[in-house]
Amino acid sequence: MRQPVHVSPGALNFGPIHEASTTRDLTFHNTGPNPVTLKTALDPPGLFTVDPEIAVPPRSTVTTRVRADINASVRPGPYSGRLTASSVDGWRVSLPIALTKEAVPHRNVTINALDSNGNPFTAYPLCVNLDTGERCPFAYREDGTLRTRVPVGRYLVATNVFEQDRVSAVVHPGLEIREDTTVTLDARTAKQSSVTLERPVDDQGAMLTVACDTPAGKAMFGATTARTPELHITPAAGTPQCRSTFGTVHQSELDSYHLVFHQSGGIPDPTWRPKDADLAAVRARHAVQGGRPQKVVKSTAPIVDGWFAVPYNTTTLPQPGTRTEFRSPGPWTWYTYANTFSGDTFLSQQLAHTTHEKPGRTTERWNAAVFGPSLAPVDSAAHRYHDTMFFQIPLYGDQNPDHAGFMPGMTGTVGLYRDHDLLSPGSLPYGNVSAWAQAPPEPGRYRLVVDATQETTPLSSRITAEWVFHSARTTDQVPLPLRVIRFAPPVDDENSAPRGREFRVPVTVQGTGAPVMGISAFASYDEGGTWRPVHLLPAPGGWEAVLHHPADAGTVSLRATATDADGGSVSQTVLRTYYLK
């Protein structure tokens, strides 16, 4: 005989609950001609409650309520059970029951996005819990809205609304969610970005970055456009743990602006009128490496909150040449890449990491001799960790102590020795001394030796160097005591100096190690055929080499050796360092 009693729904899921008492309806159906009385039982008992007895008239239904009582004594996590209802006639129905106890209160959030005409826009927003760093789990609905259920707290909610002639960045940095909430990301609230400058330059784009600190790291959001007016931004209040950065680039052959407008908390109105006097003005002088026509392809960008803060940008300038580069002062580091070409042939690259804390005028020289080994604080390294030694020493840095330089056409040999025994060979990728080795743990004397040549440009055609240092096993990563000798002659923008007169060259030692105890230098005017000792005078930060240029010489080659108090030394020779005319 077919059972006349059944129940709907066939399963009861209360979903996520924090601390509350909530009910769900349950309907019992009796399709038979006789009344049925059902006795209920719950397994396990205690978490759920229901009427102990339910009488269902013939050919009728009865709806009852199942209650879930969730209080602080219930541990967070999923719970499940079974409700069984049975009659003395042997009729029996059973269904599963489930819920999830939430560790913290949750709320339902609906997110809508609208374009600049008020029409729905299919967005893929960023939603991050600022109290935990967790991202919001989204479910898309057919009507284009997004639904999520999230813990109460503060959130970064943001999206880009893309349209044909604009990008609208709509950001809520620090949105408080305490109740069920609907968030509308409306492009109509975004204002057009505007930057007014004192000099005529070409707009090369704009970028907005928002960074918020969370226990799981930074939550980041960004928007960028090829032209500043195309970026629209919604001004918004925020929380101190969030920061916004607006970056923009404007360039010409004579001037450039790389600007950063940084604010803690909210997002300001995107309209700025910076004055040249409030910026760091860098007079950048670019020299030429040889007689052939050359150009430099230059890119500059600061890092703010671990992210490039202006759009990717390049400009091509003739060499030699000079222009003024305006940058926003602040604690951020500026990354500059200057690639020199002759026609389509890549000659060399100079890199720099610089900071401009305050407004004011400075001068930077680029591509000025002497090109040689560099231990500038960019793309250079010499350290030991336990028994592993690692070296990365750029060989073609120009005279600026903050620059590291690379030369793709350089060839030669590199060797790391323990006393006279070869420990490891190295290589010269892009004119970069690259070597590593597993060294014995006990103290020892080491030599790193390089001999490199290149025919890409006439200057610094051959570079040799030998570093002598002592090292033993370390417990942490520590710098190895290596130094390089830097020469900064006051050459002109064709890397030339006058013949037939006294000429003074600033000399510095760069790197780490014991105090320098002695230094000597030599000059050659026949590309290393014969060498003459050079008198060195003490000078602030180093020495001044006094050279006497012959009237009939065409180039100058330099050799120098420096020794330190621990028995370490560096010896360098650079052929054809600069021209004489």
Side-chain angles (χ1 to χ4, degrees):
M1 183 178 179
R2 184 176 181 181
Q3 177 171 298
V5 180
H6 67 277
V7 64
S8 62
L12 210 56
N13 186 359
F14 284 81
I17 304 172
H18 178 54
E19 293 179 7
S21 292
T22 186
T23 61
R24 295 289 187 272
D25 288 342
L26 195 62
T27 300
F28 289 88
H29 303 258
N30 180 6
T31 60
N34 302 310
V36 175
T37 299
L38 301 168
K39 293 186 179 296
T40 62
L42 289 165
D43 181 26
L47 194 62
F48 304 99
T49 57
V50 68
D51 292 337
E53 187 175 282
I54 299 169
V56 188
R59 297 185 175 88
S60 185
T61 61
V62 170
T63 298
T64 189
R65 289 186 170 179
V66 180
R67 178 180 298 276
D69 294 300
I70 306 300
N71 53 45
S73 64
V74 179
R75 299 180 65 179
Y79 291 87
S80 62
R82 182 164 291 275
L83 185 154
T84 302
S86 54
S87 71
V88 296
D89 299 324
W91 311 126
R92 185 173 181 272
V93 293
S94 179
L95 72 155
I97 307 177
L99 63 78
T100 299
K101 165 66 183 295
E102 296 173 326
V104 296
H106 283 56
R107 298 292 182 261
N108 296 315
V109 178
T110 301
I111 297 179
N112 306 299
L114 302 175
D115 65 19
S116 60
N117 296 313
N119 299 317
F121 176 81
T122 302
Y124 299 90
L126 175 70
C127 177
V128 179
N129 186 325
L130 298 181
D131 300 321
T132 66
E134 295 180 348
R135 286 179 175 256
C136 308
F138 283 120
Y140 286 86
R141 297 177 61 87
E142 292 182 359
D143 60 3
T145 62
L146 295 91
R147 299 289 178 87
T148 186
R149 183 173 174 83
V150 297
V152 297
R154 295 169 302 161
Y155 285 80
L156 168 64
V157 181
T159 195
N160 287 318
V161 178
F162 298 98
E163 299 178 76
Q164 184 175 359
D165 58 349
R166 62 183 276 172
V167 175
S168 300
V170 187
V171 186
H172 295 282
L175 178 68
E176 290 277 352
I177 296 179
R178 300 296 172 188
E179 304 295 336
D180 290 350
T181 302
T182 296
V183 180
T184 299
L185 302 172
D186 192 343
R188 294 172 298 179
T189 64
K191 296 186 177 181
Q192 187 176 48
S193 300
S194 173
V195 177
T196 303
L197 303 170
E198 296 182 359
R199 303 187 183 207
V201 283
D202 296 328
D203 184 346
Q204 290 195 352
M207 182 175 183
L208 174 70
T209 305
V210 178
C212 299
D213 297 324
T214 80
K218 289 179 183 176
M220 305 288 290
F221 172 81
T224 186
T225 56
R227 295 289 181 267
T228 299
E230 295 172 358
L231 182 56
H232 293 63
I233 299 172
T234 298
T239 175
Q241 74 190 92
C242 292
R243 298 162 299 281
S244 68
T245 305
F246 179 85
T248 184
V249 178
H250 303 256
Q251 300 199 82
S252 72
E253 190 172 302
L254 296 178
D255 305 290
S256 70
Y257 291 85
H258 293 75
L259 304 178
V260 174
F261 304 96
H262 188 66
Q263 176 171 311
S264 294
I267 299 174
D269 189 294
T271 302
W272 291 277
R273 295 178 177 270
K275 301 297 183 183
D276 289 355
D278 297 328
L279 303 173
V282 181
R283 184 171 180 265
R285 289 179 57 194
H286 289 264
V288 67
Q289 293 181 22
R292 295 173 293 175
Q294 293 177 8
K295 62 185 178 183
V296 60
V297 179
K298 197 171 186 181
S299 174
T300 301
I303 296 288
V304 180
D305 271 311
W307 197 319
F308 283 112
V310 300
Y312 175 77
N313 62 93
T314 62
T315 188
T316 301
L317 306 169
Q319 287 189 153
T322 301
R323 76 168 181 171
T324 302
E325 300 176 352
F326 292 96
R327 302 171 187 173
S328 297
W332 35 82
T333 299
W334 293 84
Y335 287 60
T336 301
Y337 300 81
N339 298 320
T340 295
F341 291 81
S342 177
D344 294 330
T345 303
F346 176 45
L347 302 183
S348 66
Q349 180 185 70
Q350 300 294 324
L351 280 70
H353 295 177
T354 54
T355 301
H356 308 283
E357 294 282 354
K358 299 178 181 179
R361 293 188 170 272
T362 58
T363 298
E364 286 182 356
R365 292 212 69 184
W366 289 85
N367 226 33
V370 171
F371 298 93
S374 165
L375 284 174
V378 48
D379 279 13
S380 65
H383 60 248
R384 179 168 181 162
Y385 179 66
H386 292 289
D387 293 332
T388 301
M389 291 183 178
F390 176 77
F391 305 88
Q392 179 173 301
I393 304 174
L395 280 185
Y396 208 74
D398 65 22
Q399 68 171 243
N400 192 317
D402 294 325
H403 293 181
F406 303 91
M407 166 68 72
M410 194 170 285
T411 59
T413 59
V414 176
L416 177 63
Y417 297 82
R418 180 178 168 89
D419 291 323
H420 298 288
D421 298 325
L422 179 64
L423 189 63
S424 173
S427 59
L428 286 168
Y430 287 90
N432 185 63
V433 176
S434 179
W436 74 275
Q438 291 295 113
E442 59 270 15
R445 177 180 179 271
Y446 294 87
R447 295 184 301 125
L448 179 64
V449 182
V450 59
D451 187 342
T453 60
Q454 59 85 19
E455 297 179 354
T456 306
T457 70
L459 295 180
S460 295
S461 58
R462 183 179 182 187
I463 300 170
T464 63
E466 179 175 324
W467 291 272
V468 177
F469 61 97
H470 295 81
S471 178
R473 172 178 286 174
T474 65
T475 56
D476 298 309
Q477 180 173 297
V478 298
L480 288 168
L482 268 67
R483 289 189 171 93
V484 295
I485 301 171
R486 308 292 295 263
F487 300 93
V491 292
D492 62 19
D493 287 344
E494 294 182 347
N495 278 313
S496 296
R499 293 188 182 100
R501 53 164 285 186
E502 179 181 290
F503 190 71
R504 299 198 174 195
V505 176
V507 181
T508 56
V509 173
Q510 183 180 52
T512 61
V516 175
M517 302 302 292
I519 185 169
S520 60
F522 298 82
S524 173
Y525 300 99
D526 56 4
E527 298 186 10
T530 57
W531 293 93
R532 307 178 186 181
V534 172
H535 185 50
L536 292 171
L537 299 175
W543 302 265
E544 195 171 56
V546 183
L547 280 72
H548 298 276
H549 292 160
D552 57 351
T555 63
V556 178
S557 300
L558 294 171
R559 172 181 289 172
T561 298
T563 58
D564 67 27
D566 287 342
S569 66
V570 55
S571 298
Q572 293 176 204
T573 300
V574 183
L575 300 186
R576 240 188 267 162
T577 58
Y578 58 90
Y579 303 107
L580 295 178
K581 64 179 182 179

